[in-house]
Amino acid sequence: MATVGDRNRLPTLFEVLSRRTLPPVDLFSFYIYMRDQQRSVDYLDFWLDVAQHISLCRHYVRELRRSVLVSTPDLDKGSKRSSGAPEDLLGDGDYEQKSDEQRLSAFLRSESTSESPARRSMGDTLGTPGTGRPSFMSSSALDPNTDSTSPGHTVTRADLRASAEKILYTFLLRGAEREIVLPEVILQSISNAIEVEGRDDPAIFDEAKDYVFQAMERDAFPGFLTAKALGNLVPPSATIRLIVGLLAMFGGFWAAFALIFLDIKPKVTRLWLILPFSVGVYCLMAHQYSLDPIMGLIGFSEYTLMSFTRVKEPYVRRLLSKRSLWILALTIVMVAALVCLYVFVPGKRL
C-alpha cells in the first residue's frame, strides 16, 4: 500500500476515512465539507460511530484475552493455540479489514451464546454490566484499522450492547434524532439483530456501513476532491471574490472610458488601469476555479471562511501549484490585453 510520501495520485475515500491522508484531503476536512457543503454529515457520523463500535469490540476481545491469561497462565504456554482463541482475533494488522471484522463478529456471536461459569467470572473481572453508554462513545474521527483510540477504562459486554443500541437509536430508527435514509430491508435486519436476537457484533452493521460508504463515494467524495485537491476556497469566500471582482471590473471600465472620452493627456496615465483590471480579473479567475493562486503557491487552503490550513499532502500541493501558475499566467495575459486595448485607443473629448 502506498504511503503518504510516495502516493502519486489523489487519495481514495477509504484512505481518507482511515486517516492515511494529510490536509487538505484529510478526515477533518472531509467532515467539514460534509457538514457545510453536502449537508449530510449524519452519514459520515454513522460510518465513524460504526468504526468506533468495531474498535470497541477489538478492545473488549483484547481485555478478554488478558483476563484469560491472568486467570489461567498455563494457557499462554504450548506449541499451538486454538484458532478460536481471542488472541487470534487481534493479530498484528497483517490481514484485510473485512476478514478481521468477520472473525471478530464470529467470535463475539459464539461468546455471547456461552453462559458458562468461566464467562460469568470473566464478566466480573472485566467490569459490571449495566453501566449505560460509555463516555468515550463519539464520532471523533476514528480509524477503523487501529485501536489507538482505545477507551480509558475496561470494556464490558454491556458497553458493546450500549454502543450498538446508540447507533440504532441515533441513526436508524424512524424518527431518530439524526435519521439517515437506508433501504427498509437493511433497517429491519439491524433492528431485529439488536432488539430481538440481542446481537452486538460488528457484522450487524455491515450492509448499512457498505451502503453509506458507497453513497458517500458516489455522491460526496468526487465533489470533495474537486473542492480540496483542485481548489482552495470555500463557496462563501469564492462569492466574496466574485463581488470584489465585478466591482473592480466596473471601476476599471468606468475609468477607462472616462480617460478616453475626456482625452486625458499624456496617455501613459491610462497605465493606472492595470490596478482595477488586475484586481478584477484576479478575483474573477479565483472565483471561477475556486482557487486563489497566491494561496495555492504558498501552500494554504481554506476549510471554513477565513480559516486556513497548510497543504501537506504532497501530490495535492504539486497539483495546486501547477494550477495556480496556470491561473496567474492566464490572469496576466487577460490584464495585459485589457490595458493595451484601452491605452492605445485614440482619445476623443466629447
Side-chain angles (χ1 to χ4, degrees), residues 181-211:
V181 179
L182 293 176
E184 187 65 27
V185 62
I186 296 179
L187 297 176
Q188 289 296 331
S189 174
I190 296 175
S191 179
N192 182 73
I194 295 176
E195 297 185 317
V196 178
E197 300 175 17
R199 289 174 54 187
D200 52 27
D201 55 278
I204 60 178
F205 298 112
D206 278 352
E207 284 187 282
K209 185 182 178 187
D210 290 343
Y211 182 91

Side-chain angles (χ1 to χ4, degrees), residues 70-270:
V70 169
S71 302
T72 54
D74 290 341
L75 290 179
D76 199 29
K77 302 175 182 178
S79 59
K80 186 176 181 180
R81 296 188 178 111
S82 168
S83 61
E87 58 267 31
D88 292 326
L89 301 174
L90 299 174
D92 297 318
D94 294 330
Y95 41 79
E96 293 295 329
Q97 181 193 8
K98 280 291 182 184
S99 175
D100 174 27
E101 292 177 14
Q102 290 170 358
R103 296 171 63 197
L104 185 63
S105 296
F107 173 77
L108 290 174
R109 285 197 299 271
S110 63
E111 198 261 347
S112 65
T113 60
S114 172
E115 289 295 340
S116 65
R119 184 193 169 211
R120 288 195 293 269
S121 175
M122 191 75 62
D124 294 337
T125 302
L126 292 175
T128 303
T131 55
R133 188 197 316 188
S135 61
F136 50 84
M137 282 303 299
S138 67
S139 58
S140 55
L142 296 170
D143 179 359
N145 291 326
T146 181
D147 290 316
S148 60
T149 54
S150 296
H153 64 81
T154 301
V155 178
T156 69
R157 195 59 190 256
D159 291 333
L160 302 188
R161 176 74 181 178
S163 170
E165 290 178 345
K166 168 184 174 287
I167 296 173
L168 175 65
Y169 299 146
T170 302
F171 298 102
L172 303 179
L173 291 184
R174 295 304 181 192
E177 175 186 357
R178 303 176 65 186
E179 181 184 355
I180 61 176
V181 179
L182 293 176
E184 187 65 27
V185 62
I186 296 179
L187 297 176
Q188 289 296 331
S189 174
I190 296 175
S191 179
N192 182 73
I194 295 176
E195 297 185 317
V196 178
E197 300 175 17
R199 289 174 54 187
D200 52 27
D201 55 278
I204 60 178
F205 298 112
D206 278 352
E207 284 187 282
K209 185 182 178 187
D210 290 343
Y211 182 91
V212 168
F213 181 90
Q214 292 170 11
M216 291 192 297
E217 189 175 44
R218 180 184 65 249
D219 300 331
F221 194 63
F224 170 71
L225 288 181
T226 300
K228 298 301 179 182
L230 302 180
N232 58 13
L233 299 176
V234 295
S237 185
T239 301
I240 291 175
R241 283 167 172 77
L242 173 63
I243 296 172
V244 172
L246 291 176
L247 291 175
M249 292 301 290
F250 174 80
F253 285 123
W254 180 85
F257 284 110
L259 290 172
I260 291 173
F261 292 119
L262 292 177
D263 197 17
I264 302 296
K265 303 292 186 179
K267 278 191 174 183
V268 71
T269 305
R270 300 185 189 180

